[in-house]
Amino acid sequence: LKPRRRRRFLRQPARTARRPPRARACCGAMLSPSAPRLVRKMFLPFYSKQRGPPKIRQQVCGTTARRFYKLVACNQRDPQQGKHMEVLGSYAPKVRTGVKELRLRFSRIKFWIGVGAEFNQGTRQLLALSSLIPKPPPMFGWRTKGHYEELARKLADRQKLHDEAVQEYHKHAGARGVHVR
């Protein structure tokens, strides 16, 4: 047999009459609190000394084997995986297939860039991939040591070959109807 619970009869506090809510004044007119708001509140970025200027950063999501990243607008001193003001898109690098899936809300990202949001190197590369911002120059240091001059030389050689091909094409352009094979 289960032991019986002892019921405790507590004395309920006497209910007092509630005051009616005060009506808010808006534009000089008195509105009831149940009146619908006809104008939506405008979202403006929140600046404060405690939280710092806005920043566009990536938040890590997904499982260990399949990571994806949310691009979010947040204040500079907010925790990295913590709260944010707005989700701006997502980036999923598919490691097995080598495909980079990038989804962005272009208008909102343009808004945050116009407001003066900062971003780090990885986010800068992603935004440059979608041609929202110009491509950053290559990072100098041990990663590109000796490669930058080689790449510049290869690009110059390609441009030279291209110019020669264009001149060869235009050399025969004077004779009408003659095509060089």
Side-chain angles (χ1 to χ4, degrees), residues 27-127:
C27 304
M30 295 294 286
L31 296 174
S32 68
S34 62
R37 177 176 288 172
L38 300 175
V39 178
R40 188 172 57 161
K41 273 188 173 178
M42 194 171 150
F43 174 76
L44 293 173
F46 175 70
Y47 295 100
S48 71
K49 287 182 182 177
Q50 290 83 20
R51 290 290 175 193
K55 195 165 190 176
I56 298 174
R57 71 165 60 130
Q58 301 174 41
Q59 283 188 347
V60 182
C61 303
T63 62
T64 309
R66 292 187 294 262
R67 291 276 186 219
F68 73 94
Y69 303 90
K70 280 194 299 187
L71 260 71
V72 297
C74 58
N75 288 313
Q76 198 172 30
R77 293 198 181 100
D78 286 344
Q80 188 176 4
Q81 302 299 325
K83 66 177 184 173
H84 52 265
M85 290 189 269
E86 188 175 8
V87 177
L88 302 175
S90 66
Y91 165 62
K94 312 282 185 177
V95 178
R96 292 181 187 156
T97 57
V99 176
K100 295 179 180 179
E101 186 181 308
L102 186 61
R103 298 177 181 201
L104 298 174
R105 295 170 60 196
F106 275 55
S107 60
R108 296 308 298 164
I109 291 177
K110 286 179 184 176
F111 167 80
W112 285 106
I113 290 174
V115 161
E118 302 167 354
F119 24 79
N120 60 6
Q121 192 65 27
T123 310
R124 185 183 305 274
Q125 291 285 346
L126 286 180
L127 295 180

